[in-house]
Every structure is written in C-alpha cells, then in structure tokens.
Tab-separated table of all heavy atoms in Angstrom:
chain	number	residue	atom	x	y	z
C	7	CYS	N	103.300	107.557	87.641
C	7	CYS	CA	103.786	108.547	86.677
C	7	CYS	C	103.456	109.934	87.080
C	7	CYS	O	104.260	110.850	86.986
C	7	CYS	CB	103.257	108.258	85.333
C	7	CYS	SG	103.974	106.781	84.574
C	8	ALA	N	102.267	110.146	87.572
C	8	ALA	CA	101.899	111.470	88.020
C	8	ALA	C	102.699	111.963	89.158
C	8	ALA	O	103.099	113.139	89.262
C	8	ALA	CB	100.408	111.521	88.369
C	9	ALA	N	102.935	111.075	90.092
C	9	ALA	CA	103.771	111.490	91.326
C	9	ALA	C	105.196	111.850	90.886
C	9	ALA	O	105.674	112.855	91.355
C	9	ALA	CB	103.812	110.302	92.279
C	10	VAL	N	105.768	111.082	89.977
C	10	VAL	CA	107.126	111.432	89.510
C	10	VAL	C	107.110	112.753	88.835
C	10	VAL	O	107.944	113.555	89.021
C	10	VAL	CB	107.670	110.291	88.634
C	10	VAL	CG1	108.972	110.671	87.944
C	10	VAL	CG2	107.892	109.025	89.498
C	11	CYS	N	106.104	112.968	87.960
C	11	CYS	CA	105.973	114.227	87.200
C	11	CYS	C	105.848	115.385	88.166
C	11	CYS	O	106.500	116.434	88.025
C	11	CYS	CB	104.857	114.185	86.159
C	11	CYS	SG	104.782	115.531	85.104
C	12	ALA	N	105.064	115.224	89.170
C	12	ALA	CA	104.806	116.302	90.137
C	12	ALA	C	106.124	116.554	90.946
C	12	ALA	O	106.474	117.673	91.211
C	12	ALA	CB	103.695	115.956	91.096
C	13	ALA	N	106.808	115.449	91.350
C	13	ALA	CA	108.100	115.600	92.086
C	13	ALA	C	109.162	116.320	91.235
C	13	ALA	O	109.826	117.174	91.827
C	13	ALA	CB	108.621	114.266	92.492
C	14	LEU	N	109.168	116.100	89.972
C	14	LEU	CA	110.067	116.798	89.113
C	14	LEU	C	109.831	118.267	88.955
C	14	LEU	O	110.635	119.049	88.483
C	14	LEU	CB	110.239	116.137	87.762
C	14	LEU	CG	110.870	114.711	87.839
C	14	LEU	CD1	110.678	113.914	86.531
C	14	LEU	CD2	112.316	114.872	88.159
C	15	ASN	N	108.532	118.595	89.283
C	15	ASN	CA	108.097	120.011	89.108
C	15	ASN	C	108.034	120.688	90.476
C	15	ASN	O	107.706	121.872	90.553
C	15	ASN	CB	106.752	120.095	88.389
C	15	ASN	CG	106.906	119.954	86.886
C	15	ASN	OD1	107.278	120.860	86.205
C	15	ASN	ND2	106.621	118.742	86.460
C	16	GLY	N	108.226	119.996	91.544
C	16	GLY	CA	108.109	120.547	92.911
C	16	GLY	C	109.359	121.033	93.462
C	16	GLY	O	110.401	120.885	92.973
C	17	PRO	N	109.150	121.620	94.698
C	17	PRO	CA	110.338	122.155	95.374
C	17	PRO	C	111.260	121.053	95.842
C	17	PRO	O	110.806	120.014	96.227
C	17	PRO	CB	109.786	122.937	96.573
C	17	PRO	CG	108.282	122.920	96.325
C	17	PRO	CD	107.908	121.890	95.335
C	18	ALA	N	112.549	121.333	95.754
C	18	ALA	CA	113.518	120.323	96.293
C	18	ALA	C	113.180	120.037	97.810
C	18	ALA	O	112.802	120.968	98.506
C	18	ALA	CB	114.913	120.877	96.137
C	19	GLY	N	113.409	118.814	98.206
C	19	GLY	CA	113.240	118.455	99.561
C	19	GLY	C	111.820	118.088	99.970
C	19	GLY	O	111.457	117.909	101.104
C	20	THR	N	110.926	118.042	98.937
C	20	THR	CA	109.590	117.617	99.176
C	20	THR	C	109.272	116.328	98.430
C	20	THR	O	109.972	115.862	97.580
C	20	THR	CB	108.560	118.692	98.709
C	20	THR	OG1	108.634	118.897	97.302
C	20	THR	CG2	108.802	120.075	99.448
C	21	ALA	N	108.179	115.719	98.881
C	21	ALA	CA	107.748	114.493	98.189
C	21	ALA	C	106.314	114.653	97.741
C	21	ALA	O	105.560	115.487	98.361
C	21	ALA	CB	107.775	113.346	99.205
C	22	PRO	N	105.900	113.959	96.661
C	22	PRO	CA	104.555	114.108	96.113
C	22	PRO	C	103.502	113.310	96.911
C	22	PRO	O	103.792	112.218	97.399
C	22	PRO	CB	104.693	113.560	94.692
C	22	PRO	CG	105.784	112.578	94.816
C	22	PRO	CD	106.740	113.141	95.898
C	23	ALA	N	102.298	113.901	97.058
C	23	ALA	CA	101.235	113.189	97.740
C	23	ALA	C	100.002	113.455	96.915
C	23	ALA	O	99.567	114.596	96.759
C	23	ALA	CB	101.034	113.667	99.115
C	24	THR	N	99.412	112.369	96.328
C	24	THR	CA	98.145	112.557	95.593
C	24	THR	C	97.033	112.874	96.511
C	24	THR	O	96.738	112.189	97.511
C	24	THR	CB	97.809	111.215	94.834
C	24	THR	OG1	98.981	110.895	94.008
C	24	THR	CG2	96.587	111.376	93.986
C	25	VAL	N	96.293	113.949	96.174
C	25	VAL	CA	95.131	114.392	97.017
C	25	VAL	C	93.837	114.177	96.320
C	25	VAL	O	92.786	114.155	96.897
C	25	VAL	CB	95.250	115.823	97.458
C	25	VAL	CG1	96.430	115.969	98.454
C	25	VAL	CG2	95.391	116.799	96.334
C	26	GLU	N	93.862	113.965	94.964
C	26	GLU	CA	92.635	113.706	94.186
C	26	GLU	C	93.048	113.006	92.891
C	26	GLU	O	94.076	113.277	92.309
C	26	GLU	CB	91.971	114.979	93.857
C	26	GLU	CG	90.637	114.897	93.159
C	26	GLU	CD	89.927	116.147	92.902
C	26	GLU	OE1	90.167	117.106	93.674
C	26	GLU	OE2	89.263	116.243	91.818
C	27	SER	N	92.225	112.041	92.505
C	27	SER	CA	92.499	111.269	91.302
C	27	SER	C	91.193	110.901	90.607
C	27	SER	O	90.250	110.397	91.290
C	27	SER	CB	93.293	109.965	91.628
C	27	SER	OG	93.595	109.287	90.442
C	28	THR	N	91.087	111.180	89.285
C	28	THR	CA	89.878	110.835	88.529
C	28	THR	C	90.412	109.934	87.357
C	28	THR	O	91.265	110.379	86.623
C	28	THR	CB	89.174	112.035	88.008
C	28	THR	OG1	88.805	112.901	89.099
C	28	THR	CG2	87.954	111.699	87.226
C	29	THR	N	89.773	108.804	87.179
C	29	THR	CA	90.169	107.859	86.116
C	29	THR	C	88.938	107.667	85.203
C	29	THR	O	87.884	107.328	85.694
C	29	THR	CB	90.608	106.532	86.698
C	29	THR	OG1	91.748	106.778	87.593
C	29	THR	CG2	91.098	105.601	85.579
C	30	HIS	N	89.224	107.784	83.947
C	30	HIS	CA	88.227	107.382	82.884
C	30	HIS	C	88.750	106.165	82.145
C	30	HIS	O	89.786	106.280	81.473
C	30	HIS	CB	87.930	108.526	81.952
C	30	HIS	CG	87.357	109.728	82.603
C	30	HIS	ND1	86.018	109.823	82.919
C	30	HIS	CD2	87.898	110.883	83.094
C	30	HIS	CE1	85.794	110.965	83.545
C	30	HIS	NE2	86.934	111.654	83.641
C-alpha cells in the first residue's frame, strides 16, 4: 500500500523503492 501511494505521488516513469520501514 505504501509503495502504491508513493508511486501515485511520484514522478512519471519512476518506480517506488522502500528505503526505511518501521512497524508497530
């Protein structure tokens, strides 16, 4: 879900890559 959200907010022609994740 985070990757899709980031992709929808990112520049066209790029892909999302998670660089940090914190889970509670």
Side-chain angles (χ1 to χ4, degrees):
C7 287
V10 170
C11 190
L14 290 168
N15 283 283
T20 63
T24 302
V25 295
E26 184 178 329
S27 183
T28 302
T29 303
H30 296 279

